[in-house]
Amino acid sequence: MRATREGKMMGKGMLLVVVSLYLLAALFDPISALDALQISIGVLKTILPILLVVLFLMTVINSYIQPKHLSHYLGKNSGLKGWLIALISGVFFHGPSYIWYPMLSELRANGVKESFIIAFFYARSIKVPWLPMMAGYFGIAFTVILMVYILAAAVIQGKLAEKILSPK
């Protein structure tokens, strides 16, 4: 998925703002700025594996699946198949949401329905690695019912947004 010119400019601008804030903080309180920098580096080390996996997935997707081809499955006439793809991918794609923004933005630009993108984000609240622990604490029936409600709510949110965002 290719980055847009505006996206590249926003990224550079964000980097400039963050670096400027660190430098400004270092002028007023160098010790706290160093502590904050060390915490940021720790967070980066924590999310780096996720970023690498997502980068790898986006590279594979970009190499083998073109947004226009995918929009066929998630476009205006995709029906149940589109909803299933959006919900299942939302459940299984992990990592911070903002990492998916560029890819989803390009898919949207290529005709993917906004309702599917919204359902994708909503379905991400189901965390597969946590399901066994949830079932252990609350029981299997509770866990399954909650998952069904979350997925149903994802569809409802997508449909509502489609009604609100569709041109009149």
Side-chain angles (χ1 to χ4, degrees):
M1 314 274 160
R2 299 187 197 338
T4 63
R5 186 167 190 207
E6 293 98 18
K8 287 180 182 180
M9 292 300 295
M10 285 177 41
K12 289 177 183 176
M14 182 66 171
L15 178 62
L16 182 65
V17 167
V18 169
V19 169
S20 299
L21 288 173
Y22 270 111
L23 291 173
L24 186 64
L27 287 174
F28 290 105
D29 190 356
I31 294 171
S32 294
L34 184 61
D35 288 343
L37 183 61
Q38 289 173 337
I39 291 169
S40 295
I41 290 170
V43 169
L44 180 62
K45 286 179 183 177
T46 301
I47 66 170
L48 191 59
I50 296 169
L51 289 171
L52 292 175
V53 168
V54 170
L55 181 64
F56 173 75
L57 286 174
M58 289 177 69
T59 301
V60 169
I61 289 170
N62 193 29
S63 298
Y64 296 106
I65 301 173
Q66 298 301 318
K68 290 180 183 177
H69 179 71
L70 192 56
S71 67
H72 169 72
Y73 295 106
L74 297 169
K76 296 192 184 337
N77 298 321
S78 54
L80 182 61
K81 186 185 289 187
W83 286 106
L84 290 174
I85 291 170
L87 295 174
I88 291 170
S89 61
V91 170
F92 288 105
F93 288 0
H94 292 284
S97 295
Y98 62 84
I99 292 176
W100 299 104
Y101 293 169
M103 181 181 73
L104 293 171
S105 175
E106 188 166 339
L107 289 173
R108 180 180 178 211
N110 282 290
V112 170
K113 290 171 42 175
E114 291 171 332
S115 56
F116 293 150
I117 294 171
I118 290 166
F120 169 85
F121 280 118
Y122 205 95
R124 293 185 78 252
S125 64
I126 297 174
K127 305 297 182 199
V128 175
W130 298 352
L131 290 178
M133 186 168 56
M134 179 184 253
Y137 280 110
F138 299 105
I140 292 173
F142 178 90
T143 303
V144 170
I145 290 170
L146 181 60
M147 285 176 48
V148 168
Y149 281 161
I150 289 171
L151 294 174
V155 172
I156 292 168
Q157 293 292 335
K159 292 274 190 189
L160 284 173
E162 191 175 349
K163 295 279 186 208
I164 292 169
L165 297 172
S166 68
K168 306 248 187 277

